Amino acid sequence: MAETETQEVTLDEIVALCRRRGFIFPASEIYGGFANTYDYGHYGVLLKNNVKAEWWRSMLQERDDIVAIDSAIIQHPRVWEASGHLEGFTDPLVQCLGKCKRRWREDDLREAQQTGELKCPECGGDLTEPRRFNLMFETHMGPVPDDAAKAYLRPETAQGIFINFKNVLQFARKAPPFGIAQIGKSFRNEITPGSFIFRTREFEQMEMEFFVPPGEAPGWHRRWIEERMRWYVDLGLRPDRLRLREHGPEELSHYSEATSDIEYLFPIGWSELEGIANRGEFDLNQHARFSGEKLEYFDQEKGEAYVPHVVEPAAGVDRSLLAFMVDAYDTEEVEGRTRTLLRLHPRMAPVKVAVLPLVSKAGMPERARVVYEELRSRIPAEYDEGGSIGRRYRRQDEIGTPWGVTVDGQTMEDDTVTLRDRDSLEQVRVAIDGLGDELAARLERPWSSPKPG
Ligand code: GAP
């Protein structure tokens, strides 16, 4: 796909659907909104839970060399000294000296303007000299807001893993190569948040630190790049919307020996979805130096201790969710009407099956409710009897429900229902007895997007 190509769906269409169907809305809306912050509604929560559940499944359930952790958001301030964040987690900030006085990231402007003296993209004004701006959010522990009480909201979940290396080694009975995985909120005082949930100041990360014998790091780095790319494709992202980009030496973070980004073709163009870094021994060495604790693994067989190297796949929950929505969004003409739908992988879909009585009479709602209550104990199901059947299907299509079960007149005679497929619109008649098994089997089948690449 050409570099300049963009998605067929716009960010505005995604934002509108998210709002219309209650996935995501602007936070603090009754106070006029608040600086690119967002709240997740019911279907947004369900979809986000599925993103996280699939990540945990791939990290914990489908292998036995990774354990979980949930560390504190506010850690000892020395953590951020050791990690290099206090010193180096900065962006170059410039401010417009002209009319608008807006602040920009100098590196973004340089990328966009390429040559000549940089000017404010908003009003064309001159800009200040760049100054380093630290992205960490400051807070205070306890009642006195002085320097001694200063603390930080974590800008990445990774450090909570490194500082627990010794605890995990002791209790998890693991030896390198092994990993520690964490999902949780991170905070960055981004200069230019934007593009909906793509870049916000409060977001969730899914990070795994994989500790390996030093010589094995480059090989594991390659394996984790493949694993993580496969995860997105297996969950339905179209492979030609994904690509790998290796960081050049000038772009590498202070801790990284090598980093490759998995990029997705978002409506704003190709952008980072996940970074996979070989962090070497940087973090364990730093925390050993600052804390005075030995952070090593003792190899019994060789009779020697070593500092493991770390390979880190670091993904964003919100950014992944956005990619899954963008990839799934589709519209098509059906019998003269435009149908909007989310062709989500069934495992990603917030609701797997909707149970709908054809009409609200003749015993159909009661029968449908029984079918729904049987199904919901096995898979996420929704019951809906409000409005015409066409309107209810359109609603389910827009939230990405892969299957619809309709209870109609025939159901009352022979205990069968129609089972509608969201993508093909095919409807088949199936017996209520065995419906749960059929849907559970469908949920486990491999799936790929029916949208053309
Ligand atoms: N521990 C390494 C690390 O944090 P990163 O590339 O800065 O690496 C990892 O972040 C992932 O977290 C990104 O690929 C992205 O998906 C997500 N992420 C980072 N900053 C974000 C932001 N401001 N808003 C939303 N997601 C963000």
Side-chain angles (χ1 to χ4, degrees):
M1 179 165 294
E3 184 86 3
T4 50
E5 207 165 337
T6 53
Q7 272 286 357
E8 55 275 72
V9 53
T10 65
L11 211 46
D12 285 348
E13 284 170 311
I14 297 292
V15 173
L17 174 68
C18 282
R19 155 132 243 139
R20 190 163 70 242
R21 292 301 174 199
F23 281 86
I24 302 169
F25 358 85
S28 308
E29 205 178 8
I30 61 169
Y31 290 98
F34 189 53
N36 293 86
T37 53
Y38 294 93
D39 293 337
Y40 283 76
H42 180 66
Y43 296 120
V45 171
L46 298 183
L47 179 52
K48 203 173 345 175
N49 281 349
N50 291 344
V51 172
K52 293 191 273 188
E54 289 300 331
W55 190 84
W56 279 128
R57 184 213 281 252
S58 72
M59 291 290 163
L60 300 182
Q61 193 179 322
E62 290 173 352
R63 49 195 307 150
D64 57 10
D65 54 359
I66 298 178
V67 295
I69 200 160
D70 189 355
S71 69
I73 285 174
I74 302 176
Q75 300 279 359
H76 195 293
R78 295 266 287 162
V79 168
W80 309 112
E81 240 178 278
S83 70
H85 282 85
L86 261 179
E87 181 72 22
F89 195 52
T90 56
D91 277 343
L93 171 77
V94 290
Q95 188 170 9
C96 173
L97 292 166
K99 228 161 124 194
C100 76
K101 306 279 183 268
R102 279 187 63 172
R103 295 187 173 92
W104 306 93
R105 274 178 62 162
E106 189 213 26
D107 47 357
D108 284 352
L109 298 190
R110 208 160 281 293
E111 202 178 306
Q113 299 184 13
Q114 305 270 328
T115 53
E117 195 192 342
L118 288 183
K119 294 284 178 194
C120 173
E122 183 77 6
C123 71
D126 288 337
L127 298 166
T128 59
E129 284 299 308
R131 73 180 168 89
R132 303 306 302 181
F133 170 77
N134 196 297
L135 300 185
M136 280 200 296
F137 273 98
E138 285 180 15
T139 185
H140 293 92
M141 292 292 261
V144 186
D146 61 11
D147 269 3
K150 203 191 266 184
Y152 302 90
L153 305 188
R154 68 179 173 203
E156 62 171 16
T157 60
Q159 298 303 324
I161 295 178
F162 297 127
I163 61 176
N164 276 293
F165 175 74
K166 213 173 152 187
N167 283 336
V168 174
L169 210 52
Q170 211 171 345
F171 296 109
R173 292 183 299 120
K174 297 280 179 210
F178 80 98
I180 308 176
Q182 163 151 246
I183 296 182
K185 286 241 170 161
S186 293
F187 304 83
R188 295 183 188 177
N189 201 358
E190 301 278 2
I191 298 171
T192 47
S195 305
F196 193 33
I197 54 169
F198 179 83
R199 180 173 288 109
T200 49
R201 294 188 172 118
E202 172 182 346
F203 55 96
E204 250 179 311
Q205 287 188 305
M206 311 184 276
E207 298 198 288
M208 195 276 292
E209 309 303 320
F210 203 68
F211 300 90
V212 303
E216 295 182 19
W220 277 107
H221 190 216
R222 279 193 299 278
R223 279 168 75 171
W224 275 111
I225 290 170
E226 280 165 28
E227 286 282 327
R228 293 302 304 147
M229 191 65 117
R230 202 179 56 223
W231 186 80
Y232 291 107
V233 173
D234 284 354
L235 288 169
L237 291 195
R238 286 166 293 166
D240 67 346
R241 260 66 175 173
L242 287 163
R243 74 178 187 190
L244 203 64
R245 193 181 65 78
E246 209 175 309
H247 286 205
E250 71 298 337
E251 196 187 348
L252 286 177
S253 309
H254 60 278
Y255 53 74
S256 176
E257 292 187 6
T259 297
S260 287
D261 286 346
I262 295 178
E263 294 190 333
Y264 178 73
L265 185 60
F266 286 98
I268 53 171
W270 287 103
S271 310
E272 177 185 341
L273 182 56
E274 165 161 354
I276 301 145
N278 173 0
R279 297 180 73 125
E281 57 183 359
F282 176 84
D283 303 275
L284 289 183
N285 273 346
Q286 285 291 98
H287 288 300
R289 197 153 72 80
F290 278 71
S291 68
E293 289 279 348
K294 267 194 183 159
L295 299 177
E296 298 174 335
Y297 174 72
F298 187 76
D299 187 332
Q300 301 278 0
E301 254 171 49
K302 291 190 178 150
E304 62 186 31
Y306 65 85
V307 178
H309 284 214
V310 171
V311 173
E312 172 198 70
V317 176
D318 315 78
R319 215 175 267 189
S320 300
L321 181 148
L322 182 61
F324 284 117
M325 279 196 111
V326 165
D327 216 77
Y329 187 96
D330 203 6
T331 54
E332 64 178 15
E333 288 296 311
V334 179
E335 293 165 5
R337 296 191 64 151
T338 304
R339 176 170 91 112
T340 302
L341 70 161
L342 287 183
R343 297 187 192 273
L344 287 167
H345 189 298
R347 291 218 305 263
M348 275 293 158
V351 176
K352 312 301 178 199
V353 59
V355 182
L356 318 169
L358 183 63
V359 288
S360 283
K361 57 184 184 192
M364 288 180 214
E366 294 76 13
R367 188 73 188 95
R369 186 98 208 155
V370 172
V371 173
Y372 157 69
E373 281 171 15
E374 275 170 19
L375 286 177
R376 76 175 178 191
S377 64
R378 301 188 60 180
I379 53 174
E382 194 170 275
Y383 173 78
D384 186 4
E385 65 171 59
S388 76
I389 190 79
R391 246 183 82 182
R392 281 178 279 158
Y393 275 144
R394 279 200 295 285
R395 198 175 148 268
Q396 294 298 333
D397 286 343
E398 285 203 339
I399 64 167
T401 307
W403 303 296
V405 165
T406 307
V407 167
D408 54 19
Q410 196 179 327
T411 312
M412 311 310 283
E413 287 164 21
D414 64 5
D415 271 345
T416 63
V417 288
T418 57
L419 179 56
R420 172 190 185 263
D421 183 272
R422 173 198 69 200
D423 296 326
S424 65
L425 290 178
E426 186 191 41
Q427 300 206 23
V428 290
R429 199 92 213 156
V430 296
I432 289 172
D433 188 24
L435 187 57
D437 287 341
E438 168 65 20
L439 294 176
R442 286 186 182 202
L443 207 49
E444 287 308 312
R445 272 183 216 150
W447 186 93
S448 61
S449 173
K451 279 174 78 175

